[in-house]
């Protein structure tokens, strides 16, 4: 199968590239500023904000599947408009699309969210992700939309780097005790995405970890795994900090998990 991974140089993108290449697919991956290093992969420069460039690349590569993992949190044009460009191009070329979305589309008011819950974002990033979902559903109805949560690795994610820095006093900050998510391991997430890409599934799917944990609890798990003193981690309540944004957002994956061979582990299991 010919698979194009848009945003292949990012944290999730690199794992998608690795797994797709390992499974023997013909893989191309795009990057904005710097290509990845995976061997046997065609690296292609692409700015998803350029509709003509997106259309030209997707048409030229002749993909069976496009997986869109590209985003930039503060940039509406990349996260929302860029996603629309990818959706339009895949639809025009009759190409299967898997679009990666986020639990940021929800406010946290309901706490637990299933796939049929209506997005109610309260941040610009959440609004951009919700707009991207709408563009994908309207433009390419057969597409898969994968909503996920905080992505963790084996020490190489941005959240893990933050925890290590806080634990050794390298930077100032707070891990919130009331900011709850369902962290997912990047390998589990990528494997589930590849499964869905190779299936006949369509529509919204939730792919997140089995455990709902606060950022502080997750930080303690990471610190202990890395041999650091979790007692040194600064903590507090987001509610007291006055920061805008969702606090407790839990993606219910009960409808998606039965369709996956990949088991979505919880953070208490995969952070060891």
């Amino acid at each position: 199968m010919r698979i194009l991974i848009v945003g292949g140089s990012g944290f999730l993108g690199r794992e998608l590239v690795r797994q797709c290449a390992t499974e023997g697919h013909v893989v191309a991956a795009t990057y904005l500023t710097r290509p990845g290093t995976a061997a046997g992969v065609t690296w292609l420069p692409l700015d998803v904000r350029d509709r003509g460039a997106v259309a030209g690349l997707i048409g030229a590569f002749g993909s069976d599947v496009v997986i869109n993992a590209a985003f930039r949190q503060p940039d509406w044009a990349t996260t929302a408009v860029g996603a629309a460009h990818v959706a339009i191009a895949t639809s025009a070329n009759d190409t299967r699309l898997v679009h990666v979305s986020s639990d940021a589309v929800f406010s946290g008011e309901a706490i637990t969210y299933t796939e049929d819950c209506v997005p109610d974002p309260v941040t610009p990033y959440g609004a951009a992700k919700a707009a991207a979902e709408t563009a994908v559903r309207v433009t390419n109805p057969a597409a898969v939309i994968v909503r996920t949560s905080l992505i963790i690795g084996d020490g190489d994610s941005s959240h893990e780097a933050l925890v290590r820095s806080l634990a050794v006093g390298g930077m100032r900050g707070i891990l919130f005790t009331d900011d709850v998510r369902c962290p997912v391991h990047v390998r589990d997430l990528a494997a589930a995405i590849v499964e869905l890409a190779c299936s006949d599934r369509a529509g919204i799917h939730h792919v997140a970890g089995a455990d709902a944990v606060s950022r502080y609890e997750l930080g303690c798990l990471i610190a202990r795994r890395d041999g650091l003193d979790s007692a040194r981690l600064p903590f507090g309540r987001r509610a007291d900090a006055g920061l805008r944004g969702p606090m407790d957002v839990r993606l219910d994956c009960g409808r998606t998990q039965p369709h996956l061979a990949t088991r979505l582990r919880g953070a208490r299991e995969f952070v060891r």
Side-chain angles (χ1 to χ4, degrees), residues 230-271:
S230 60
R232 297 192 61 187
L233 293 174
F235 62 89
R237 296 196 328 140
R238 186 183 183 116
D240 297 332
L243 295 177
R244 181 174 174 80
M247 288 194 290
D248 195 337
V249 179
R250 311 179 188 201
L251 295 182
D252 184 337
C253 304
R255 297 181 184 178
T256 296
Q257 180 66 90
H259 299 285
L260 298 174
T262 301
R263 185 170 67 87
L264 301 173
R265 298 170 293 162
R268 297 186 186 98
E269 177 182 351
F270 67 70
V271 181

Side-chain angles (χ1 to χ4, degrees), residues 35 110 136 200 250:
V136 169
D200 60 359
R250 311 179 188 201

